[in-house]
């Protein structure tokens, strides 16, 4: 069975600084997809970034980047130049046949 | 709009009442997913449709939960004889294709329906 673990229930960062959210997963499969979703207080789940497991290059989307370590089954999210609007719950997710989510990390960006 | 929509946004039900939650996926999206999200938790998979076919319902917590997508677009999640433990946010998501393709696996979520069972 696939499991996703986010070991940081809460994190905070000063505006304009960098923060890294960690995620590990467990699977015996070789080809799969990984995602980071953001869920602001409005509860609309928004895709932040995705990574295909067969790609060695780490995905990047503007201020968001991932550190994908396939052998270690690690998929961390780095947010650079943090903004107040980044305050939200962040969920790491894994998809093979269905999507499994971690328990989430509540990120607060402080002014 | 172009996104996934869900209705109602909020539903209060008395214990024992039946409820129906609606999801309108993005037009043209083949796959549709339902999730249950308890307060402070990540979403938990309930069921998955590919067009009108329900390919996976392994996450449905009991036989009181039933989902359908008869014409391969709009989907309804029905909960019969609601219980207090059914209180949660129910999220719907859709994706373009079943699998494969550069963007096939990305799921786009609706705003959710918050269900409170009293």
């Amino acid at each position: 069975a696939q499991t996703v673990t986010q070991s940081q229930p809460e994190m905070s960062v000063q505006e304009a600084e960098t923060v890294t959210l960690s995620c590990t997963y467990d699977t015996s499969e070789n080809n799969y997809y990984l995602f980071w979703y953001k869920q602001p207080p409005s509860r609309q789940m928004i895709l932040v970034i995705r990574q295909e497991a067969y790609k060695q290059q780490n995905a990047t989307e503007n201020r968001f980047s991932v550190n994908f370590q396939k052998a270690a089954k690690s998929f961390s999210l780095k947010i650079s130049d943090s903004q107040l609007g980044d305050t939200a719950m962040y969920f790491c997710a894994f998809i093979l046949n269905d999507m499994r989510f971690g328990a989430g990390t509540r990120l607060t960006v402080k002014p | 709009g172009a996104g996934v929509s869900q209705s109602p946004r909020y539903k209060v039900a008395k214990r024992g009442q039946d409820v129906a939650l609606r999801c309108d996926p993005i037009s043209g999206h083949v796959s549709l997913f339902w999730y249950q999200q308890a307060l402070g938790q990540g979403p938990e998979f309930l069921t998955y449709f590919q067009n009108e076919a329900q390919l996976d319902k392994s996450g449905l917590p009991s036989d009181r939960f039933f989902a359908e997508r008869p014409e391969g677009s709009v989907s309804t999640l029905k909960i019969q004889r609601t219980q207090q433990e059914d209180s949660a946010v129910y999220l719907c998501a859709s994706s373009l294709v079943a699998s494969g393709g550069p963007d096939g696996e990305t799921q786009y979520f609706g705003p959710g329906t918050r269900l409170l069972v009293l």
Side-chain angles (χ1 to χ4, degrees):
Chain A
Q2 293 107 227
T3 60
V4 180
T5 302
Q6 294 180 250
S7 58
Q8 305 151 315
E10 294 189 23
M11 293 192 72
S12 63
V13 62
Q14 290 296 131
E15 193 176 8
E17 295 193 345
T18 296
V19 64
T20 299
L21 310 183
S22 65
C23 173
T24 58
Y25 59 94
D26 186 28
T27 183
S28 58
E29 299 295 328
N30 195 45
N31 293 319
Y32 46 86
Y33 296 81
L34 295 160
F35 302 83
W36 278 97
Y37 280 91
K38 168 186 176 181
Q39 190 176 44
S42 67
R43 300 201 75 87
Q44 182 92 42
M45 196 82 78
I46 302 166
L47 176 68
V48 174
I49 199 165
R50 58 174 271 155
Q51 174 82 42
E52 292 87 349
Y54 61 86
K55 290 186 177 179
Q56 292 185 329
Q57 186 174 6
N58 288 326
T60 300
E61 286 287 341
N62 301 314
R63 298 183 295 108
F64 299 88
S65 61
V66 299
N67 182 7
F68 175 46
Q69 301 290 329
K70 191 172 183 179
K73 296 179 184 175
S74 171
F75 182 61
S76 60
L77 174 69
K78 185 172 82 171
I79 306 174
S80 304
D81 186 26
S82 297
Q83 300 177 359
L84 296 178
D86 295 335
T87 293
M89 284 288 291
Y90 285 82
F91 292 98
C92 176
F94 170 103
I95 188 167
L96 184 60
N97 298 309
D98 58 57
M99 185 174 276
R100 301 295 173 113
F101 287 83
T105 296
R106 183 178 302 279
L107 176 67
T108 302
V109 180
K110 299 179 178 179
Chain B
V4 178
S5 61
Q6 292 185 246
S7 62
R9 292 294 308 277
Y10 302 91
K11 176 69 178 178
V12 179
K14 293 183 179 179
R15 191 174 57 180
Q17 185 179 351
D18 297 349
V19 298
L21 313 179
R22 177 188 169 106
C23 172
D24 283 83
I26 294 172
S27 179
H29 276 199
V30 168
S31 298
L32 186 146
F33 305 81
W34 283 99
Y35 296 88
Q36 180 189 60
Q37 186 177 23
L39 188 65
Q41 301 294 319
E44 295 281 346
F45 170 79
L46 293 177
T47 187
Y48 158 56
F49 290 86
Q50 184 176 327
N51 295 307
E52 69 277 5
Q54 189 174 19
L55 299 188
D56 188 346
K57 53 182 181 179
S58 61
L60 295 176
S62 77
D63 59 7
R64 297 186 295 103
F65 287 71
F66 171 77
E68 61 183 5
R69 193 186 185 198
E71 298 179 359
S73 55
V74 171
S75 178
T76 303
L77 177 66
K78 298 178 179 178
I79 309 173
Q80 298 176 323
R81 305 182 303 281
T82 52
Q83 304 294 315
Q84 287 184 324
E85 61 263 29
D86 300 335
S87 295
V89 174
Y90 291 85
L91 297 171
C92 175
S94 69
S95 67
L96 183 60
V97 295
S99 63
D103 201 40
E105 300 292 343
T106 298
Q107 294 185 21
Y108 299 89
F109 283 80
T113 294
R114 184 184 296 273
L115 173 65
L116 177 62
V117 181
L118 302 177

